[in-house]
Every structure is written in C-alpha cells, then in structure tokens.
Amino acid sequence: MIKAEHIYKNFGNVQVLKDVSLEVKNSEVVVIIGPSGSGKSTFLRCINLLEKPAKGTVRIDEQEMTALRKSQIIKVREKVGMVFQHFHLFPHKTVLENLTYAPMKVKGLSREQAEERARKLLNQVGLSEKANQYPSKLSGGQKQRVAIARALAMEPEYMLFDEPTSALDPEMVKEVLEVIQSLAESGMTMIIVTHEMGFAKQVADKVVFMDDGRILETAAPDQFFSAPKTERAKEFLEKIL
Amino acid sequence: MNLIDGFRTIAPSIPYIINGIWVTLEIALFASIIGFVVGTILSLCKIGRNKLLNGFARGYTSIFRGTPLIMQLALAYFAIPQLLGINTVNAFIVAVITFGLNSGAYMSEIIRSGINAVDKGQFEAASALGVRYWPMMKDIILPQAIKNILPAMMNEFITLTKESAIVSTISVTDMMRRSQIVSAQYYTYFPPMFIAFILYWLVVMILTFLGGRLERRLARSD
C-alpha cells in the first residue's frame, strides 16, 4: 500500500503541490492525468522521494518514507520500481548489464542469478535478441521496454511510471503500453502518469485528475471519462479527446 | 659550417640528451596518475554536500592554481626538506609528487565539469534502483564523465609533458636539464638545445595525434 497525505512541494517560490493526498491499495492501478505543469510528475517523484516534499507524509507499506534517513530511503526504494519519460538507461552498459547491475549491486545476487532473471525479463518484453547491444542501438520503444525490465529486475512490489510514452514516436507507443498492460494484468501495484487517455481508460482502476498542484477529481475510469464532475476536467477532456 | 661543426662536436652526447625524454615522460606519466586520483577525490569533494570537504577541495585548488608551479617545486625541494631537517631528497620523486598534486587541482576541475555534464537522469535512475552513492559514482557516473573528458585529460597530460621541463631547476636530469649540461660541457648552446627543442615538439605532436585518434574512436561508439 502506498499512502501519501497532505503533500506540499515548492520549487523556490512556485507552489507545485498543494495538499495532495492519495492512497493506492495493493494490485491497484492508479492513473494520474492532467495538463502539463499540474504537478503530476513531481507528485510521482515525491512518492519514492526523488523529490523531498516540503510538508506531508508518504507511507510505503508501513514505512513512513518522509521520516526515514537517506540510507533507509534507499533501502525502501528497492521495492518501488520507477520508469522515466526519457528512459535513462545506462549508456555505457549493455542491455543485459543494465538489467543485472542493480540486482547484483543492491540485492547481492550472483551474476548467474542476475543474468537468468534478466534474460527472463528480456524475453517477457520481447527483447531477448538485444541482450548484448548497447542502448544507443535501440529504438525509443525498445529502450523504454528495457527500462521497464530493468526496474522489474529488482522485483519491486510497486511500479511508478512517469509519462512512459511521451518521448516516443507514435508508432512505438503501443509496444510499450502493451508491456505495461500485461504488468497490470499480473497484479502489479502501479501509479502511472500519462497523456494516453485510451490507455488510461483501459488499464486504470482509478483515475486521478490533477490541475495546478491539486487533485481535483478521483474516480473510476468509466465515470471520469463519461461524466467528469469538475468543470476543469471537462475542459481538459474536451481539449484532448 | 660553424653550426654543423657544433653538432659534430656534441655528437657523442646526443643520445644522452635524447634519452632524457624517458625521464620527461616518466614524470608526466606518474604525475598524471597521481593527478587523476587526487583530481577524482577532489572533484567528488566539490560536488558533494559536505561543507568541510567542499572547503578543503576549493582551498586546495586555489593554492595550487594560484601559485607558480616553479615556486611550488622550489618549496617542495629546497624549503620544506630544510624545515624538516631532511638532508637528502630524491629530486625525481619530489618532482613527480609536486607535479601530481598540482595536476590534481586542474584535473579536479576537469572531472567536476565531466560529472556535471552527465545527465541528471542517470543519478535518478540509479537511486530509484536503490543504488547507493559510492557505487553509483564509481559504476554509473564516473565512467560516463571520464568518457566525456578524455580529450581534456589528454591535453592535461600533454601540458604536463611540456611543463615538466621546469624540473630542471631542481636538478632532475630530464631532457631540458641534459641539454643544459651538454651545452655547458662543450660551451656550445645551439645544437644541444635545438635537439631537445625539436624532440619536445615531436613528442607533443605524437601525443596530440594519439589524443585525436582516441577522441574519434570514442565518438564512433556513441
């Protein structure tokens, strides 16, 4: 379970998050949507404390992240995988090494164990034949699938997706969404920030609409997309659908 | 004719001068290894959040960049041993250490800029995976930083090779010093100094060429 309560965050004088609270139950898929600059990504990054909230608490299972010391935060992060808009694969490591590095370094797996797990995951995302390539040789969609596999290699209990398809060419969006979809079906607890409305409708158990640093609406996807309650959400949906 | 005679006269000593290049290159090589290690440590002190280490690294860089190298060398070879009451000092070792510490100051700035040039996402991706600070630096950040700054480090090595000529002032028999010795011995200056002069240039040209090739090879792997 992930539970964020009354999160505030500012960058200098700019208030980015104003009293944001969200609870995600196990095996739940929460999709956060909203206009650019609404604080979606910042909120996501507050959950694994890549950004430190100014106020508020984040709990992951029973651990209060916001109360932990830095070294303890790193420990909890092991169970929270994160996928970024711009992939951030390690360019000097091969695809396989990207997947084995953290499990070996952080979890102390042997090379054999880590590679076995990595190959299984590469197979799962359909990239077995790319194991020994460097990331620069991959397409955007392939990179993002490797990035997902890299996060999964740590066997996380939760996954955070920060606009996973926003940097991709249109024809590569589908292959990435399919991987995320199948992850959702496997029961992974996920928070996804995305602009893909069709995907949101399909995969979400709960849709969260954010604007101007606040959560304006939380609803089941059918309800949200057919009959949004707030004026702001209506406007937003009209513009993009 | 006079000039040719000059070269003829010092002919037996020409190999002596030329072999001085090994002393020069040894100093440059050892000093750059020390410089790299010192520079890496200092650069990590500079980018870290520890105020004490920040201050130390900044002070260190300020001192070594703010005084003439020849002065540092004199201090290390003549002044400090006297102060400590040490009578015999190995000039070569003093030269290597002084050059290494000096180069570390410059290298730290190069490495720092290299680390800063690494995409911030790399830090985030590593920490999101639960990788701790030191392994992240060692395995993820520094390899990428060093790849970016290899050309600059190659330049630093070339600079060291040239600048090492001032170790002649503390009686290390490098190529510069040898050309002076031979000059004094035969009381003829142009031929020995010209040989050393040309050889310095040749070595620097070769190193520049190698550096260029290295740079191109790295560019290709992107």
Side-chain angles (χ1 to χ4, degrees), chain B residues 24-47:
Chain B
T24 293
L25 286 173
E26 267 171 40
I27 292 172
L29 183 68
F30 291 136
S32 60
I33 292 168
I34 295 175
F36 178 67
V37 173
V38 171
T40 304
I41 294 167
L42 286 176
S43 67
L44 292 175
C45 291
K46 282 175 184 173
I47 62 159

Side-chain angles (χ1 to χ4, degrees), chain A:
Chain A
M1 184 203 61
I2 295 176
K3 195 169 182 180
E5 286 177 302
H6 309 296
I7 301 293
Y8 286 80
K9 173 75 187 174
N10 59 295
F11 293 120
N13 289 329
V14 186
Q15 279 293 332
V16 192
L17 296 176
K18 304 161 190 167
D19 195 12
V20 179
S21 299
L22 179 70
E23 191 180 328
V24 183
K25 298 190 195 73
N26 283 350
S27 294
E28 200 174 26
V29 178
V30 173
V31 172
I32 304 178
I33 61 176
S36 298
S38 56
K40 311 179 294 288
S41 291
T42 307
F43 177 57
L44 196 68
R45 294 154 58 82
C46 280
I47 288 172
N48 65 354
L49 259 73
L50 279 185
E51 302 286 356
K52 204 171 156 41
K55 260 198 297 187
T57 55
V58 176
R59 270 200 198 81
I60 291 178
D61 297 337
E62 278 324 299
Q63 247 143 349
E64 191 180 327
M65 289 290 275
T66 30
L68 295 178
R69 286 207 322 273
K70 219 175 160 193
S71 58
Q72 298 167 306
I73 291 172
I74 293 171
K75 192 77 196 147
V76 183
R77 276 188 190 144
E78 287 176 33
K79 53 182 180 185
V80 186
M82 184 158 193
V83 173
F84 301 86
Q85 181 177 358
H86 295 286
F87 334 125
H88 301 324
L89 295 178
F90 305 134
H92 60 300
K93 292 185 179 294
T94 63
V95 166
L96 193 71
E97 288 165 351
N98 263 279
L99 267 64
T100 56
Y101 174 71
M104 285 165 65
K105 205 73 182 182
V106 178
K107 295 219 150 160
L109 260 63
S110 71
R111 179 172 297 279
E112 292 72 38
Q113 288 171 312
E115 285 189 358
E116 192 194 326
R117 187 186 286 183
R119 287 187 195 283
K120 209 183 279 171
L121 284 165
L122 283 178
N123 188 34
Q124 198 177 317
V125 298
L127 290 170
S128 292
E129 76 284 8
K130 302 285 183 192
N132 297 315
Q133 299 273 12
Y134 282 90
S136 59
K137 295 276 184 289
L138 304 180
S139 73
Q142 291 171 334
K143 281 182 195 166
Q144 194 59 298
R145 285 187 280 157
V146 172
I148 294 170
R150 178 177 68 175
L152 291 175
M154 289 296 284
E155 301 193 316
E157 294 164 35
Y158 306 97
M159 285 287 280
L160 310 176
F161 289 88
D162 187 4
E163 302 198 21
T165 58
S166 297
L168 298 179
D169 290 336
E171 75 267 27
M172 291 168 182
V173 170
K174 197 162 158 251
E175 63 188 57
V176 171
L177 292 184
E178 279 171 358
V179 170
I180 302 175
Q181 172 92 46
S182 73
L183 210 54
E185 282 158 11
S186 77
M188 176 68 79
T189 312
M190 305 199 281
I191 304 179
I192 306 169
V193 172
T194 186
H195 290 294
E196 297 289 332
M197 294 305 142
F199 175 67
K201 207 184 284 186
Q202 201 180 355
V203 80
D205 295 314
K206 196 156 92 183
V207 174
V208 171
F209 176 71
M210 280 185 78
D211 186 36
D212 193 27
R214 289 194 178 85
I215 292 182
L216 296 190
E217 204 166 331
T218 305
D222 293 342
Q223 195 189 338
F224 177 80
F225 286 105
S226 56
K229 276 176 282 186
T230 55
E231 226 19 69
R232 193 67 192 84
K234 259 176 224 160
E235 272 171 48
F236 175 73
L237 289 175
E238 268 162 26
K239 254 181 232 163
I240 55 163
L241 289 179

